[in-house]
Every structure is written in structure tokens, then in C-alpha cells.
Amino acid sequence: MLYIGCHLSSVKGFENMGKEALGIGANTFAFFTRNPRGGKAKDIDTADVQRFRELAEKNGFDKLVAHAPYTLNPCSATEKTRNFAYMVMEDDLKRMEYIPGNYYNFHPGSHVGQGVEKGIELITEVLNDIIKPEQSTIVLLETMAGKGSEVGGRFEELAAIIDGVKEKDKIGVCMDTCHVSDAGYDIINDLDGVLAEFDRIVGLEKLRALHINDSLNPTGAHKDRHAKIGEGHLGLEAIAGFISHPKLRGLPCILETPNELDGYAREIEILKKAYEK
Ligand code: FE
Ligand code: FE
Ligand code: ZN
């Protein structure tokens, strides 16, 4: 079974996201834990969460893949910016426990000239401060396009972060097709090779979720511009091959393509067909 969904707006709560997901043929979804720019989070409505959990169970939803605000930079050179990332992520992880057992994905950040090693050290520090042994949420590092001074474009960098995290079973990776391709990994012509490399460096057991996007730019472009499925350099065939790959089958797939709900519904339908073939 293909577990697939897209980013949904959380303004109307969890039950609403669940219903919206069902309406477009999705059985998982992503949501920003707060305004994607990092504003204040809404209070959690426990009755709403309960109704969502029933809906998700009844409809066989897979784990959700929450997304931290993308403006956080846990490896900033500025202490104030790092503290803000720490505070937001710590609060988000507390809130994630209202919907236990899901994923919380974040961008490792940009080292802004401090060097990748310093960046990795700072990210690891934040993770060790916020990840608690008793939490049920698994924190996911997103593979990045390697734009500017982004950390997480190379598998080695993700492995180094994971290596420094004490709670090993609370940390994993979310692979973004646009980002890995932009970072220089040829998932169009050599997906087997890319996954073998990931397995050797990070370990495939760490890979917990997938972001499914086409890319406006060719492999290695380091740009990070998402395209609709089939309208970018990856193309439908490569993306269908990716979600159906024996080593990736069963992982939750999240679309982050430039679409409204109707566009997501179409992409979900196309990818479900490709997956079942
Ligand atoms: Fe992301
Ligand atoms: Fe992504
Ligand atoms: Zn992106």
C-alpha cells in the first residue's frame, strides 16, 4: 500500500486535516507545527486530537510527518537565532506528544560561514538538548539541496549529526527527492547506487519518510525549487521508480509540490497507479 499525502493547513485543527486528507485520497499528511515562519503555536484542542486519532485509525493512516518552521536555524552563528530554534523545537516536541508516535521533520540549517563541522556540532547540541528518552516522536533530519551553506546536502553530514545524537532510536532521516537530486545524487539514472551509498553512510534503517517533489533544476544544481510531478527534471518515471523502489516501499510519502488540493488529489491518483503497477 502506498502511504501518500501532502502538506495540509493546520489552522482548522487535526480532524479537519484528516478529513481533507481523505477527500484527496491521502492516508498520511504533513503540517507545519506553527506558522512556517516560526510564529506562536495554537493551543492544542484535545477533543479535536481524539477525533482525529479515531479517524486515522479507522482509515488506516500511516504516521504523520510534521514539519518544523523552515526559517529555524539551529546552527546559526548567532546565539539568539540558535536559542529561538531550540525553544521552538522543544515546544513542538512537547506538542507532538498529543499525537504520539509520529515524525517531526526539520531542516538542519545553514552554518553561514562557520564551516560544516561547526554546523554539525551546533545541530547535534540542540538535538541532544531537546530529544528526551521518553518521547514517542522520532525527529527526522531532512536531506537538503546543499544551497548556500546548508548542512545536510551530503549523506556524510547527516551521518555525522546522527552519530552525535545520544538518543539514537529517536532520530532518523526524511529524503526529499528534489533536494537529493539538487544535491548531486542521481536518483534518475542510478537510484540503486544512491540508496546503496545512503545505506553505507547513514543506514537505510534510519530512513523513515520521503518528500516527493519534482525539481525545476538538473541534478547537482543546488537550487531547491520544487516542481509539480512530471513537470521538472526528475519526471514522472523517475519519481514513480523512487516511491516503488523495493528499499523505499511502505515509507510515508509527502508531496510538497506547488499545488492546491485538487492538484494534490491528481498527483496522488497518478502515483498510486504507478505504485500498484
Ligand atoms: Fe522541508
Ligand atoms: Fe522537503
Ligand atoms: Zn525544498
Side-chain angles (χ1 to χ4, degrees):
M1 159 113 78
L2 176 61
Y3 291 104
I4 188 163
C6 61
H7 265 269
L8 295 174
S9 162
S10 60
V11 264
K12 291 185 188 148
F14 282 98
E15 187 188 24
N16 192 264
M17 286 192 280
K19 286 181 175 167
E20 250 176 19
L22 288 176
I24 56 170
N27 47 14
T28 176
F29 56 86
F31 60 97
F32 284 112
T33 47
R34 60 189 71 219
N35 176 310
R37 301 199 68 82
K40 194 182 176 304
K42 275 198 328 166
D43 285 337
I44 297 220
D45 173 352
T46 51
D48 170 56
V49 165
Q50 190 49 38
R51 288 193 300 273
F52 166 71
R53 289 177 71 176
E54 280 158 24
L55 176 150
E57 172 148 18
K58 196 169 125 216
N59 292 284
F61 274 43
D62 196 14
K63 288 179 193 297
L64 309 182
V65 191
H67 200 303
Y70 49 72
T71 47
L72 300 184
N73 189 4
C75 62
S76 167
T78 314
E79 194 183 5
K80 201 172 144 220
T81 307
R82 288 201 304 275
N83 280 344
F84 181 68
Y86 162 82
M87 272 163 46
V88 167
M89 291 174 77
E90 184 181 50
D91 184 48
D92 280 351
L93 284 179
K94 275 189 200 138
R95 296 156 52 83
M96 286 297 292
E97 292 302 305
Y98 284 92
I99 46 160
N102 288 297
Y103 297 130
Y104 178 72
N105 171 70
F106 80 107
H107 295 180
S110 296
H111 65 70
V112 283
Q114 302 172 94
V116 69
E117 273 173 36
K118 184 68 186 172
I120 288 166
E121 185 190 313
L122 292 171
I123 296 160
T124 307
E125 223 170 85
V126 169
L127 288 173
N128 280 327
D129 284 341
I130 59 168
I131 297 178
K132 308 280 183 257
E134 66 275 14
Q135 77 184 42
S136 68
T137 305
I138 296 181
V139 177
L140 303 183
L141 300 160
E142 182 164 348
T143 62
M144 301 309 291
K147 195 176 63 179
S149 68
E150 262 174 4
V151 180
R154 305 293 314 166
F155 296 160
E156 287 81 359
E157 295 165 12
L158 300 170
I161 297 169
I162 293 171
D163 198 45
V165 172
K166 279 178 276 169
E167 296 295 333
K168 291 275 186 288
D169 55 338
K170 303 284 190 265
I171 185 89
V173 172
C174 172
M175 190 181 281
D176 184 310
T177 51
C178 168
H179 297 177
V180 269
S181 170
D182 276 30
Y185 295 101
D186 187 357
I187 59 172
I188 304 173
N189 303 300
D190 187 23
L191 179 57
D192 284 337
V194 171
L195 294 179
E197 187 173 345
F198 184 91
D199 193 31
R200 184 166 47 80
I201 296 166
V202 182
L204 272 170
E205 72 286 353
K206 284 281 169 221
L207 188 54
R208 309 303 286 261
L210 309 171
H211 280 174
I212 307 301
N213 305 300
D214 213 324
S215 174
L216 281 180
N217 295 288
T219 304
H222 303 291
K223 293 274 199 217
D224 190 4
R225 300 274 312 281
H226 300 191
K228 292 181 185 173
I229 304 303
E231 294 185 12
H233 279 267
L234 294 177
L236 175 59
E237 203 186 317
I239 291 171
F242 185 86
I243 59 168
S244 325
H245 193 281
K247 299 228 153 93
L248 304 180
R249 283 181 87 89
L251 295 175
C253 296
I254 304 295
L255 294 161
E256 302 176 302
T257 46
N259 274 305
E260 301 297 329
L261 283 181
D262 58 338
Y264 283 129
R266 273 195 301 278
E267 289 186 343
I268 288 170
E269 202 190 326
I270 291 167
L271 291 176
K272 274 185 178 169
K273 273 200 195 116
Y275 185 85
E276 271 140 32
K277 243 200 290 188

